Amino acid sequence: MARGSARGVAGVDEAGRGPLAGPVCAAAVILDPTNSPLGINDSKQLSAARRERLAQEIKASALAWAVAFVEVAEIDRINILQAALLAMREALQALAVAPTLALIDGNRCPSGLRCPAQAVVRGDQTVIAIGAASILAKVARDQRMRELDRRHPGYGFARHKGYGTKAHLEALTRLGPCREHRRSFAPVRALEGRLVIDADEHDLCEHPSPTRC
């Protein structure tokens, strides 16, 4: 991975488009080309422990980084693709250093950006700044899902992070959806009449977004 290491270039990636529950998260990172952590790669190719270590190293050495969440209600309102693009735009806008170029993982760029942007298919595997963003987004979202597991016990959010695993689908059928399930997704929509209202509903809406450094 060498592309995206030039000064001022931001890598952008998201995590959480596929799950049935929880927010979608995006990160933007401007790496220091003279001081980038070794071992940055697509977050899916790394162990959880390695991602956690690299996330700390990226935050400590990057020229700027930011993470943004788009919550379930907004996902259901505008659809998951638009929510992912929105999270990417918010992460970019939250950077403390204005990027000269944004390299976006995938085949589409968010609208309304304040800098030139280029979509890079499989960028998390070929562009170091996008790889760094994929790590920060994945680590931040996994942490959020562990928090939601404590608030909504029984679904196994800490284990499967909201993805439609067999265990998650069985819990969803048994318990019905909670407030963090995406009702616009078919497996959840089929059980919409069984929505569980949580006592901490107000608290769940108060996560800060975006966060930045």
Side-chain angles (χ1 to χ4, degrees), residues 13-15 27 41-43 124 129-139:
D13 201 3
E14 54 77 25
N41 198 352
D42 172 10
S43 63
D124 51 6
I130 296 179
S134 77
I135 291 168
L136 293 194
K138 173 65 173 168
V139 168

Side-chain angles (χ1 to χ4, degrees), residues 97-109:
V97 176
T100 57
L101 173 68
L103 299 177
I104 313 291
D105 186 58
N107 59 8
R108 297 186 62 171
C109 293

Side-chain angles (χ1 to χ4, degrees), residues 120-143:
V120 184
V121 176
R122 297 183 180 175
D124 51 6
Q125 301 173 27
T126 60
V127 178
I128 189 171
I130 296 179
S134 77
I135 291 168
L136 293 194
K138 173 65 173 168
V139 168
R141 188 179 186 279
D142 284 357
Q143 175 59 40

Side-chain angles (χ1 to χ4, degrees), residues 71 144 146-153 178-180 196-207:
E71 305 296 339
R144 174 69 71 84
R146 288 192 289 271
E147 294 171 7
L148 293 179
D149 184 68
R150 292 190 289 270
R151 296 169 183 263
H152 299 277
C178 73
R179 299 293 300 187
E180 289 297 327
V196 176
I197 304 298
D198 186 84
D200 285 335
E201 175 185 347
H202 178 69
D203 294 337
L204 293 177
C205 297
E206 293 188 343
H207 295 286

